[in-house]
Amino acid sequence: MESLNPSTNQNHYNWPSNLKMNSKKFGIILLLTILAKIFLAWAIPVFGDESYYWFWGQHVQLSYFDHPGMVGWMTWLGAKIQFLPAPLLVRWPFIFLSSLSLFFYWQILQESKQIDFKFSIWLVAFYLLNPLLGVGGILATPDVPLVFFWTLSYWIFLSILKKQRTIDYVFLGASLGLGLCSKYHIVLFPISIILALALSKRMTEINLKKLSLTFCAGIFFSLPVLIWNYKNDWVSFAFQLNHGFQGKSYSVIWTITYLAGQILLFNPLLMYQLFLNLRKSIAQKAAIANWSFFCLSSLKASVEANWPVTAHISGLAALQDAKNRQFLRPALTYSILIWIIFFGFYFTEFGQQKINKIPTTLTAENIWPKISKYSPIYGPTYQMSSLLQLTSGRQILKLNELSRIDFYDSGLFPMPTEKLFYALKYNTSDWPQWTNRAQKTAVEFFPDQKLTLYRVTYE
């Protein structure tokens, strides 16, 4: 197939004749990657957000207050294999889907006859060493299905440009609709692609009549999230817009940390190549459009490092058009060095203190033996409540209104009706107003986590 953005590099390496051999080699790499992910998924404790999404899977809905429903549907599926240890039970569907993302990323690279197998492997290495796309692919988060449907959509988009098949327009809409059921950031795909096509003066390559099929398929496959939001006053859309655009007052640190973080995560040498040497690349323009959106968002609120994850996919795909490949070795050295520094930091005393502050199943396992004799127990946040439930096997709901509004406050779980219950509370948080008349007595202390278990009674 011809390249989307033809390069002047004439070194073809007889790609078609080596297709089967190269596919087998990539298959081995993919299999080794899956095995490595399984090992890491088993070894790394489950984080609070992951257990929260696992809790969603115990209460399946079309969508949720915080995010669309895909992550909950996937954890529901994961829980069907009950004999697995907790980390794999939660994560195995995400390992599978992230591996498919890598497969379709490889297919995107193979769209170009200008790229040889060896260079493809270099780009696969950068993909796997990217913290958001590599290790991030084992975590049970909405980013994993978002990355999959973004990558799949881009692969279908390349097919549209080459073949103009009607069915591909339908498939693109289906992929984008399911992407919306994964994370709302998928809306940046059509925006960034349209901007990239317009800047490249290639808008005429899109058949507008067939594009209407993309729109219809997109609406149909995004119905779960649309129906749920319609029935719930569009509360999820409003929450995400407020989360991304309503900071208290602008701080220049938001923009500085966003830009520095993205450069460090993507790789400074790769970023240099992307911005200066790939001016004809549609993928490059799509990546820059994506990063630029969140840069503007940083003027309104703090931007989390993983939000522009899809820009990393487009950015890495654009590197296939690089003419000068002298950046490969130093860029790989940087990526490996960053991981060495991270693991070195992890094993320092300071690093351990920082990491131990992050709620995980290890935190819950340390707390549960001391509080298991009390009942009923309510948790302090959605993270810690779901971690305790995943660890103990007992239902541990979050105490209503004890922290920010989330799925626990959706009305599906009513306020405590018992005259006596126990509540785990962070020392820095305030009691909800509805508990003002209750008597509260501290019964257990967890100074390392800054948590206290209280006996709450109305007697």
Side-chain angles (χ1 to χ4, degrees), residues 380 402 423-431 450-454:
L402 187 55
L424 198 62
K425 188 181 80 70
Y426 282 101
N427 300 337
T428 54
S429 63
D430 297 323
W431 286 99
K450 297 182 179 179
L451 284 165
T452 303
L453 182 70
Y454 288 89

Side-chain angles (χ1 to χ4, degrees), residues 32-204:
L32 292 175
T33 300
I34 292 172
L35 294 176
K37 285 183 177 181
I38 292 173
F39 172 75
L40 289 173
W42 169 78
I44 298 174
V46 177
F47 295 98
D49 282 357
E50 293 182 277
S51 63
Y52 180 49
Y53 301 136
W54 166 82
F55 181 72
W56 288 7
Q58 314 305 303
H59 306 274
V60 177
Q61 295 189 340
L62 292 177
S63 189
Y64 299 87
F65 172 78
D66 315 60
H67 287 291
M70 185 67 70
V71 67
W73 308 340
M74 290 177 67
T75 57
W76 169 84
L77 177 64
K80 295 302 179 181
I81 306 181
Q82 298 180 359
F83 63 83
L84 292 175
L88 291 179
L89 179 141
V90 173
R91 291 169 172 160
W92 76 258
F94 298 85
I95 295 173
F96 174 77
L97 205 60
S98 65
S99 300
L100 280 181
S101 299
L102 178 59
F103 171 79
F104 281 109
Y105 171 72
W106 171 260
Q107 296 303 314
I108 290 169
L109 297 180
Q110 302 316 299
E111 291 292 324
S112 172
K113 287 184 180 179
Q114 305 293 340
I115 184 171
D116 57 88
F117 177 76
K118 185 176 180 180
F119 189 31
S120 297
I121 296 302
W122 278 97
L123 297 184
V124 167
F126 288 127
Y127 183 102
L128 293 173
L129 288 171
N130 184 294
L132 301 180
L133 300 174
V135 174
I138 72 169
L139 303 180
T141 69
D143 286 341
V144 173
L146 170 68
V147 166
F148 171 73
F149 288 112
W150 185 288
T151 309
L152 178 62
S153 297
Y154 190 75
W155 179 67
I156 297 171
F157 166 71
L158 296 186
S159 180
I160 287 174
L161 289 182
K162 183 171 179 64
K163 301 176 182 178
Q164 290 296 327
R165 295 184 305 184
T166 301
I167 192 64
D168 285 336
Y169 282 88
V170 176
F171 285 155
L172 178 60
S175 181
L176 292 175
L178 292 172
L180 190 68
C181 290
S182 303
K183 198 170 184 179
Y184 299 133
H185 293 177
I186 197 69
V187 300
L188 294 178
F189 181 90
I191 295 172
S192 61
I193 291 298
I194 289 171
L195 284 173
L197 288 171
L199 292 171
S200 301
K201 298 181 180 180
R202 298 181 65 174
M203 286 293 293
T204 55

